[in-house]
Amino acid sequence: MSESAERLERLLGRDEIAWLVERVRRRIAQGRPLTGSVSLGKATPSQRRTVESLLGRRAGTGASLTVSLDEVDQVLRASGAAPEGLAQAVTLLRGPVVNTAEENAAGDARWQAAFAPLDAHLAARPVLHRWRSWLDATGLVRRLAPTPDQAAPLLEVLTAVLARLPSPGLPIGRLAAETCSDAHALDEGRPLATLALSAAKALSGLPFAADGGADTRRRAWAAVGVHLDELSSLVLCLGLPGDDTTPTGRMLAIARAAGEPCALTLRQLGRHDGSLAGGLVRLCENPVVVASAADQLGPACPPLVCVSGRPSVAVWRLLDLLAAGGASFAYHGDFDWGGIAIATAIHERYGIVPWRFDTAAYEAVPSARPLTGRPLPTPWDSGLAGAMARRGVRVEEELVLADLLSDLTT
């Protein structure tokens, strides 16, 4: 052992002064300056004598022992035990000390860089800002990808997926293949699928923190125009005239003549050439309206389409075909904020005429069901949103079923 090392061991290597070395090491790890004083409560006589030997003077009286780090630094430099001062002394005694403050700052910078592509994309999409805050609050990304190096490619492809949403109608495998070069990247259980599904829920106004089941997953993707398969995405209709030249048209015509509801798959609608005629098509939110209309009106029921809650890709496809054929739409749904969101989405895409779905109709129906959720604007009737917020009750479609059937009859 060299002479300077022996001197350092005599000054700071004893057990009685280990507390001082540990305090200094902790300060280095925290990135704090090695200045000022440190104190030890209830110091023993041997600890006090060791400090006095180090400093070459009395260390004061009292139960606690206070030591000036600047004074210790000067002693170490002057004695040659640690020419570079206190930080060098601690390193020589205990080994290198990791500056956790610097390390944490560097880690934060790496995480910010990993999130940078996503954050740049979201800057222009305020509808996803709450979802982005939720990612941070829950630590979901860090659970799925524990390090910035793992998270960066995951967030990059997530950004590419979000850039394609909402979609005009895309199979999920194709979306995955075109954005991730992996047709199964959005399969259930994959990290990317977990993140993308929560974003799809946020885009469609669904609770993105809830897991839900297969049906919730299907509806969430459908709300942003992505279908899991062509056969599970359905739309229920009654009284659409159809035609006698295409398979889908003939199915509609047969169902209309029989007065029976017709459930069309996305596969059937996707293979339909041309448009579909409909004239004024009434839209409802719940299948009970279609079933009741079929029971009461049969073949006399005018064109009626059920969106079945948030429209599936099949619903959007049918409405597109009807709109291309010159149809106009009259909408009725539940008077709650979910129903308002559905009506708004359809209104923004095609324009709607409210079918007993305005302020007067809302206020005319007695109800005791509390209205919950976040208020939304009602662009087809600017006063409706305020009336719902003031009254604070929800009115479900079933409560006005008799009135709706009367309208269909006339």
Side-chain angles (χ1 to χ4, degrees):
M1 182 181 294
S2 66
E3 183 179 346
S4 61
E6 291 179 356
R7 190 176 298 119
L8 178 61
E9 191 67 29
R10 287 197 303 272
L11 293 174
L12 291 180
R14 300 171 60 183
D15 291 342
E16 291 81 1
I17 206 166
W19 67 272
L20 176 62
V21 176
E22 178 58 26
R23 298 283 184 86
V24 174
R25 189 199 67 79
R26 200 179 307 158
R27 285 198 176 198
I28 296 172
Q30 295 170 349
R32 298 168 57 195
L34 303 184
T35 57
S37 300
V38 295
S39 297
L40 176 67
K42 299 181 180 180
T44 65
S46 61
Q47 288 173 325
R48 188 178 298 278
R49 287 194 300 270
T50 303
V51 169
E52 291 175 343
S53 175
L54 169 66
L55 301 179
R57 62 171 179 79
R58 289 287 302 273
T61 59
S64 64
L65 177 60
T66 300
V67 180
S68 167
L69 296 181
D70 300 276
E71 191 175 353
V72 174
D73 185 82
Q74 292 174 3
V75 169
L76 293 169
R77 292 177 187 270
S79 67
E84 297 178 20
L86 189 52
Q88 180 192 27
V90 171
T91 300
L92 291 171
L93 287 169
R94 298 286 182 87
V97 181
V98 175
N99 187 323
T100 54
E102 292 180 357
E103 189 176 64
N104 290 340
D108 290 342
R110 289 195 298 272
W111 275 109
Q112 289 176 6
F115 273 97
L118 178 63
D119 288 337
H121 175 74
L122 297 184
R125 303 189 76 174
V127 69
L128 287 172
H129 288 179
R130 286 183 61 246
W131 169 77
R132 175 65 179 86
S133 298
W134 175 77
L135 288 183
D136 284 341
T138 59
L140 178 60
V141 173
R142 298 191 186 212
R143 294 201 305 271
L144 296 172
T147 70
D149 290 342
Q150 292 173 306
L154 176 62
L155 293 171
E156 186 175 355
V157 293
L158 174 63
T159 303
V161 171
L162 294 185
R164 298 287 297 275
L165 301 179
S167 160
L170 196 64
I172 195 168
R174 180 178 170 188
L175 174 63
E178 293 180 356
T179 55
C180 317
S181 299
D182 178 0
H184 298 284
L186 292 171
D187 286 358
E188 187 175 9
R190 294 281 193 96
L192 177 62
T194 300
L195 294 171
L197 178 60
S198 66
K201 291 177 180 177
L203 283 171
S204 55
L206 294 169
F208 46 81
D211 291 332
D215 187 57
T216 299
R217 176 173 178 260
R218 182 178 295 107
R219 287 190 291 110
W221 279 117
V224 292
V226 177
H227 59 87
L228 305 189
D229 63 77
E230 292 183 310
L231 297 179
S232 64
S233 183
L234 302 170
V235 56
L236 181 66
C237 56
L238 175 67
L240 291 181
D243 57 57
D244 59 1
T245 60
T246 64
T248 300
R250 287 193 291 271
M251 288 179 60
L252 289 171
I254 293 170
R256 184 188 192 190
E260 288 296 329
C262 181
L264 297 174
T265 68
L266 178 60
R267 178 183 177 87
Q268 293 165 329
L269 294 166
R271 284 158 174 72
H272 179 79
D273 292 328
S275 59
L276 287 171
L280 174 63
V281 178
R282 295 187 183 270
L283 308 179
C284 61
E285 185 178 343
N286 299 286
V288 65
V289 180
V290 175
S292 299
D295 289 342
Q296 182 166 317
L297 302 175
C301 184
L304 177 64
V305 173
C306 180
V307 301
S308 299
R310 295 186 179 272
S312 66
V313 181
V315 171
W316 289 122
R317 173 62 178 167
L318 176 58
L319 298 186
D320 283 344
L321 292 173
L322 291 167
S328 58
F329 302 108
Y331 182 84
H332 187 277
D334 293 335
F335 283 104
D336 57 24
W337 299 121
I340 296 300
I342 296 167
T344 300
I346 298 172
H347 181 67
E348 289 176 348
R349 190 155 173 170
Y350 310 106
I352 61 169
V353 175
W355 175 24
R356 295 185 183 270
F357 205 60
D358 52 21
T359 303
Y362 171 69
E363 293 181 335
V365 184
S367 174
R369 297 289 302 278
L371 178 64
T372 59
R374 299 178 62 197
L376 297 171
T378 49
W380 62 92
D381 179 353
S382 59
L384 175 57
M388 291 175 63
R390 286 192 303 273
R391 190 179 176 201
V393 298
R394 58 181 297 183
V395 177
E396 294 166 332
E397 205 165 35
E398 290 82 352
L399 293 179
V400 295
L401 183 57
D403 293 330
L404 299 179
L405 294 176
S406 176
D407 292 341
L408 294 171
T409 302
T410 59

